[in-house]
Amino acid sequence: GAVVSQHPSWVICKSGTSVKIECRSLDFQATTMFWYRQFPKQSLMLMATSNEGSKATYEQGVEKDKFLINHASLTLSTLTVTSAHPEDSSFYICSARSPTYEQYFGPGTRLTVT
Amino acid sequence: QKEVEQDPGPLSVPEGAIVSLNCTYSNSAFQYFMWYRQYSRKGPELLMYTYSSGNKEDGRFTAQVDKSSKYISLFIRDSQPSDSATYLCAMRHNDMRFGAGTRLTVKP
């Protein structure tokens, strides 16, 4: 099946610093990618929809200036958590929509802010 | 009312049992129905994918969609300890919507 990768898989950063997470679709072009956040024992929560070449669409309650999304190519979207705080510690998952509209998830990135 | 409702469980069954996981939804526009399996500390993986109503079988897994009742199910036959995971239903019209996920434990 289609593969979506994320990097890094695990990151620890200090409060106030910024962290960039990459999401790549390895064997298909994805005009649309999605970013989710998952807190322990909770379901995935959609943060934003990323469309190649245009601005991301953020869900209500998600700060676009804090969670910067760039979808510069058909195979790469990045999520930058700016000025991270401990409450941003979470599991961040991206997914990519294939040309036939299936959605494939990345393995996730565990962010810990100390 | 949430668009997709899924009992979060937890659900615990003995090895070999038949497991039934279900979701209900309110948006009749949903056309694509999916089940994802998520192991602890991992991203969700697509397990079953169904378009519109009907049944789909893949090995020990059977997905059912009843659009008239707005109800989808995932059945796992001969459940194994390795099936222990959280199962999320998802459905899509233009955008994806997920259930809360049901945590399943299959005990040896």
Side-chain angles (χ1 to χ4, degrees):
Chain A
V3 177
V4 175
S5 71
Q6 270 183 252
H7 177 80
S9 58
W10 186 33
V11 58
I12 301 174
C13 71
K14 291 186 177 180
S15 186
T17 61
S18 296
V19 174
K20 180 186 284 187
I21 303 170
E22 293 186 349
C23 177
R24 293 180 185 274
S25 56
L26 299 184
D27 53 5
F28 65 94
Q29 292 184 331
T31 55
T32 303
M33 291 185 173
F34 304 89
W35 287 96
Y36 299 85
R37 181 165 52 183
Q38 186 176 33
F39 292 107
K41 301 185 180 181
Q42 295 186 23
S43 185
L44 298 172
M45 293 180 59
L46 180 64
M47 299 175 67
T49 301
S50 167
N51 293 299
E52 187 267 337
S54 63
K55 291 184 179 180
T57 303
Y58 291 81
E59 294 297 298
Q60 191 172 9
V62 179
E63 300 175 58
K64 61 180 180 181
D65 294 330
K66 180 169 184 63
F67 298 100
L68 301 179
I69 291 173
N70 186 303
H71 193 157
S73 78
L74 288 171
T75 59
L76 173 64
S77 176
T78 61
L79 168 68
T80 301
V81 183
T82 63
S83 186
H85 289 96
E87 57 265 30
D88 298 324
S89 298
S90 187
F91 192 55
Y92 292 85
I93 305 173
C94 73
S95 71
R97 181 188 285 170
S98 76
T100 50
Y101 281 80
E102 287 94 356
Q103 193 154 321
Y104 295 92
F105 287 90
T109 297
R110 185 165 301 280
L111 171 63
T112 301
V113 184
T114 60
Chain B
Q1 183 189 10
K2 292 182 182 177
E3 277 192 288
V4 181
E5 298 275 3
Q6 182 178 8
D7 186 342
L11 179 63
S12 181
V13 301
E15 183 175 357
I18 297 174
V19 177
S20 173
L21 303 167
N22 312 294
C23 288
T24 59
Y25 63 95
S26 57
N27 187 346
S28 58
F30 289 136
Q31 292 282 359
Y32 299 88
F33 303 91
M34 291 137 286
W35 286 94
Y36 289 88
R37 177 174 61 195
Q38 186 178 21
Y39 292 112
S40 181
R41 297 176 177 265
K42 301 287 186 181
E45 57 175 324
L46 182 63
L47 198 59
M48 300 285 283
Y49 174 73
T50 309
Y51 175 74
S52 195
S53 281
N55 294 358
K56 190 171 186 177
E57 189 172 320
D58 184 2
R60 297 184 294 110
F61 298 89
T62 300
Q64 289 185 350
V65 175
D66 182 348
K67 291 191 73 179
S68 63
S69 301
K70 297 190 181 70
Y71 188 87
I72 70 170
S73 301
L74 177 70
F75 297 97
I76 307 174
R77 291 184 300 280
D78 187 24
S79 57
Q80 303 295 311
S82 58
D83 295 328
S84 298
T86 296
Y87 291 80
L88 298 109
C89 66
M91 42 204 80
R92 183 175 73 78
H93 174 45
N94 292 318
D95 300 312
M96 289 277 280
R97 291 290 182 265
F98 289 91
T102 301
R103 181 181 289 182
L104 170 68
T105 301
V106 181
K107 295 184 176 180

